[in-house]
Amino acid sequence: MAKERHSAKNGNAKAGGTSRRSALKAAVAGAGAVTALGASASVAHADGPGRGAPTFVLVHGSGSNSFFWQPLLRELGLRGHRAIAVDLPGHGLGAYLPESYQSPQDLDRLRTEPSPIAKVTLGDCAAHVIDVVRRVRRDGPVVLVGESLGGATLNAVANHVPELVAHLVYTSAFCPTGHPSVLRLMMTPEAATSSSFKIPGVRTPPELGVLRVNWRSGDPAFFATVKEAISADRPDAEVRALMNILEPDESAAVGASEDARGLPEKWGRVPRTFVRYTQDRIIPLPLQDLMIREADDATPHNRFRVRSLSAPHAGPRDPRLLANELELVARLCR
C-alpha cells in the first residue's frame, strides 16, 4: 500500500573522485530496467465513454523502450483506461543494435563501433513526445508519466507545452530543477550510494557519444551486480529475461550536456506527482527526496504530490500497485 510523504534523512556520503563521464555512465547504466516480459502491443485502449477521460502517455528510461510498460498497459486497459507507451528516438523497433553486440560478440569492436543514437538529443526526445501529446490531447486530458531518465523528457515537454499536460507523474524518475542535468544530480552526495556506479559499462571513447552496456554479458558477476541494482526482488530467470529486453546504447547528450531543468514559469505550472520507490538502489531514496525538495523550492505554490511504493528501480512487480496510483491521479484530472 502506498504511503504518504514522510521525512527522510539525506545521505552525507561524498561522491568524490568520480569523473563526469564515469558518473554519467553509472547514472544511466541501469536506468532502463524493465518490469515485465513479452513484446505485445504498446497501446492499451478500452471501448466505452472515453472522451474527456485522461489518457496516460508513458515515457521509458535509458536503454529501455515501450515494452517496459507492458504490464501496466495491460492493467490500465483492463480497468478501462486509455494509455500509450512511446518509444523515444533510437529506441524500440527503431533501436540500433551494434553488429558487435550480436552473437558471437566481438568485445573489442564493441568498444569502438559507432551508433547513430549519439546524435539524439533531449530536444529530439521532447519533440517526439510532444507530437504524441498533441494527438491524444484531442480526446481529453493528458497525464504524462516517466520513469528514470525519462523524467528529463517530462521536464522538457512541460517546458514547451505546459498547456497540453494535465499532470506529470515521476515514477522514481529524474527531475532536475536545482541541478541542471541528470549527470549533476548523480554527482551529489545523495547519489553516492547508487548501485549504478557498480554496473560496468563498455569503455567507449568519449568522442563516440554513447553510453554502452553489454546486457548480454555471460559474466556471473555482472549478472549478480545488475540483479542487485535493478530488481533484487525478482527470481534469476525473470531478471535474465528483463536484461534481454534492454538496449545497449544511450545517447550521452541526453543526461549530460543539455540543461534539463524544469522552468518554474512553464513546467512549474503543471500539477505533478512523485512516486517514490523506497527500495530503489539506482536512484537512492535520498536523491529522490532531494529532487522533490528542490522542485518544491522552485515552485512553492505548486508542490509535488508525493506517494511511496516499496519497489526497486524496475518498479513494483505487481502492476496493480502503480495502476492504483495512476487512477488517483486520473481522478484529479477530471
Side-chain angles (χ1 to χ4, degrees), residues 13-324:
K14 299 292 183 182
T18 304
S19 70
R20 292 170 62 90
R21 180 169 172 79
S22 62
L24 177 62
K25 282 189 174 182
V28 302
V34 293
T35 56
L37 315 180
S40 354
S42 60
V43 177
H45 180 83
D47 293 331
R51 180 166 291 277
T55 299
F56 298 102
V57 177
L58 313 177
V59 182
H60 62 79
S62 171
S64 188
N65 47 59
S66 60
F67 297 147
F68 174 92
W69 299 108
Q70 180 55 37
L72 182 62
L73 285 170
R74 184 186 304 114
E75 182 62 26
L76 290 172
L78 290 171
R79 298 185 186 200
H81 297 287
R82 291 197 307 271
I84 179 169
V86 301
D87 283 312
L88 293 175
H91 294 275
L93 294 179
Y96 176 80
L97 300 179
E99 291 183 9
S100 53
Y101 185 66
Q102 310 305 317
S103 182
Q105 291 190 323
D106 184 339
L107 298 182
D108 288 334
R109 185 182 173 195
L110 189 61
R111 297 186 183 96
T112 59
E113 185 173 345
S115 173
I117 203 172
K119 298 180 180 179
V120 174
T121 67
L122 182 59
D124 294 330
C125 295
H128 181 76
V129 175
I130 288 171
D131 180 64
V132 175
V133 168
R134 289 190 189 281
R135 295 178 66 183
V136 301
R137 180 65 179 79
R138 291 174 290 190
D139 292 322
V142 174
V143 176
L144 195 55
V145 184
E147 61 92 19
S148 196
L149 188 63
T153 296
L154 263 61
N155 280 19
V157 171
N159 281 343
H160 284 86
V161 290
E163 70 280 1
L164 299 183
V165 182
H167 206 103
L168 297 166
V169 180
Y170 296 77
T171 58
S172 194
F174 287 103
C175 180
T177 51
H179 292 77
S181 66
V182 172
L183 171 62
R184 292 285 185 165
L185 282 168
M186 288 302 293
M187 296 175 72
T188 62
E190 289 80 3
T193 61
S194 173
S195 293
S196 62
F197 295 116
K198 301 177 182 178
I199 299 177
V202 178
R203 293 182 178 274
T204 57
E207 58 270 20
L208 211 61
V210 299
L211 305 171
R212 182 167 287 165
V213 179
N214 184 8
W215 300 110
R216 294 177 179 173
S217 170
D219 182 358
F222 176 81
F223 173 81
T225 300
V226 171
K227 178 183 177 180
E228 178 65 19
I230 66 176
S231 56
D233 63 332
R234 313 293 172 87
D236 285 2
E238 192 171 317
V239 175
R240 290 191 181 92
L242 306 183
M243 291 170 64
N244 273 285
I245 300 175
L246 296 177
E247 300 165 6
D249 291 353
E250 186 58 68
S251 170
V254 173
S257 62
E258 298 182 74
D259 194 325
R261 283 176 290 194
L263 303 176
E265 67 276 15
K266 297 286 189 177
W267 160 90
R269 292 160 42 189
V270 184
R272 59 181 186 261
T273 292
F274 198 104
V275 182
R276 299 161 77 247
Y277 287 170
T278 61
Q279 305 304 314
D280 195 336
R281 294 182 176 90
I282 294 291
I283 306 179
L285 202 53
L287 180 55
Q288 296 178 53
D289 289 334
L290 173 66
M291 292 187 289
I292 293 169
R293 187 166 61 251
E294 291 185 339
D296 288 350
D297 288 345
T299 58
H301 59 284
N302 181 27
R303 299 169 67 85
F304 261 118
R305 172 182 173 272
V306 181
R307 305 284 291 177
S308 296
L309 293 175
S310 179
H313 190 70
R317 193 176 184 192
D318 184 350
R320 292 176 296 181
L321 299 177
L322 186 52
N324 290 342

